[in-house]
Amino acid sequence: MTNPKLEVLTPTNCQMIFIDQQPQMAFGVQSMDRQVLKNNTVALAKAAKVFGIPTIITTVETESFSGHTYPELLNVFPDSDILERSSMNSWDDQKVRDALAANGKKKVVVSGLWTEVCNNSFALCAMAEGGYEIYMVADASGGTSKEAHDYAMQRMIQAGVVPVTWQQVMLEWQRDWARKESYNAVMDIVREHSGAYGMGVDYAYTMVHKAPARDVGNHKTLAPIPAK
């Protein structure tokens, strides 16, 4: 195959990096709803965990400015090291370069803050100096304005970055619903993080297939009693 970007993402041909998913960085995001951003980021992390994707978490100026990585994200990878940096560009830190090289995958899926700074500089340098292919998860990344995010995405696309979304990446990893070893875990992520799609899955499971509801507790449904 002459164009490696024609290859779909698989659990064996890529790695994942989360860049600066920290509260102070999220405070500055204006390109999308920040709760949706966090939801998408955590969902992507859970998908990476399900499929065994080698994953890097990197942070910048944690104590002096940016704060600690979302606990919901860290809890997905409880044993992972966090690669702290001073540079806005993750590529400038040797630990990051070493981790990317150790994972041994040239396709790198990226989720980070901000799109126009940390994501952009890492993507351009990793392609130019490291020969990596970058898949930028647009809806698990955010910029300081919609224009900042959009134009940064355009700049990266012009340079050869592949734009993707979190659910697209997860379903590309799954590829075939006959792959039962990951099916249930993917459906759990969908039901928790995929909005209307997840609601539809819950509905189909309970109302069509008559599966028990996934709530936990001892809820009882009390029959209607018309008031007199």
Side-chain angles (χ1 to χ4, degrees):
M1 182 178 291
T2 58
N3 183 357
K5 292 177 184 175
L6 295 179
E7 299 172 351
V8 298
L9 296 172
T10 73
T12 59
N13 72 1
C14 63
Q15 59 178 304
M16 178 86 228
I17 184 169
F18 290 97
I19 298 174
D20 305 348
Q21 292 287 358
Q22 298 163 269
Q24 184 64 254
M25 305 305 295
F27 295 161
V29 169
Q30 297 293 326
S31 58
M32 66 182 294
D33 181 88
R34 283 164 284 191
Q35 185 59 41
V36 174
L37 170 66
K38 184 177 182 181
N39 171 79
N40 296 350
T41 301
V42 174
L44 180 64
K46 291 179 179 179
K49 180 71 171 291
V50 165
F51 289 99
I53 309 299
T55 298
I56 298 166
I57 300 172
T58 182
T59 54
V60 65
E61 296 295 327
T62 296
E63 295 293 341
S64 62
F65 180 76
S66 299
H68 295 278
T69 302
Y70 314 138
E72 295 88 348
L73 173 56
L74 294 180
N75 289 344
V76 178
F77 304 105
D79 299 318
S80 294
D81 292 334
I82 300 169
L83 308 186
E84 176 77 0
R85 320 178 320 276
S86 61
S87 173
M88 289 178 279
N89 184 350
S90 294
W91 186 253
D92 290 342
D93 192 279
Q94 190 62 47
K95 297 190 305 300
V96 176
R97 295 191 194 188
D98 291 346
L100 290 165
N103 288 335
K105 314 291 182 183
K106 282 299 184 181
K107 297 181 186 294
V108 183
V109 181
V110 180
S111 162
L113 306 177
W114 298 320
T115 317
E116 70 271 27
V117 184
C118 304
N119 292 17
N120 177 80
S121 59
F122 169 76
L124 298 181
C125 291
M127 289 191 298
E129 299 177 29
Y132 290 98
E133 301 166 40
I134 302 297
Y135 294 76
M136 189 63 60
V137 189
D139 62 349
S141 300
T144 55
S145 68
K146 187 176 186 303
E147 291 79 9
H149 174 80
D150 290 347
Y151 284 115
M153 289 296 301
Q154 288 186 35
R155 180 184 178 190
M156 289 187 283
I157 291 166
Q158 289 173 354
V161 169
V162 180
V164 291
T165 58
W166 81 264
Q167 192 162 257
Q168 172 189 0
V169 170
M170 178 178 72
L171 296 181
E172 209 160 307
W173 286 334
Q174 175 65 27
R175 186 166 180 164
D176 189 338
W177 292 124
R179 293 178 174 174
K180 297 303 181 183
E181 64 274 13
S182 54
Y183 178 89
N184 288 333
V186 166
M187 284 294 99
D188 286 343
I189 295 170
V190 166
R191 291 192 291 180
E192 185 173 356
H193 294 281
S194 292
Y197 176 26
M199 296 177 202
V201 171
D202 266 333
Y203 181 87
Y205 275 28
T206 57
M207 305 306 291
V208 177
H209 301 292
K210 304 304 179 184
R214 64 186 178 99
D215 57 326
V216 293
N218 299 307
H219 308 291
K220 295 179 181 178
T221 300
L222 304 181
I225 300 176
K228 297 179 181 179

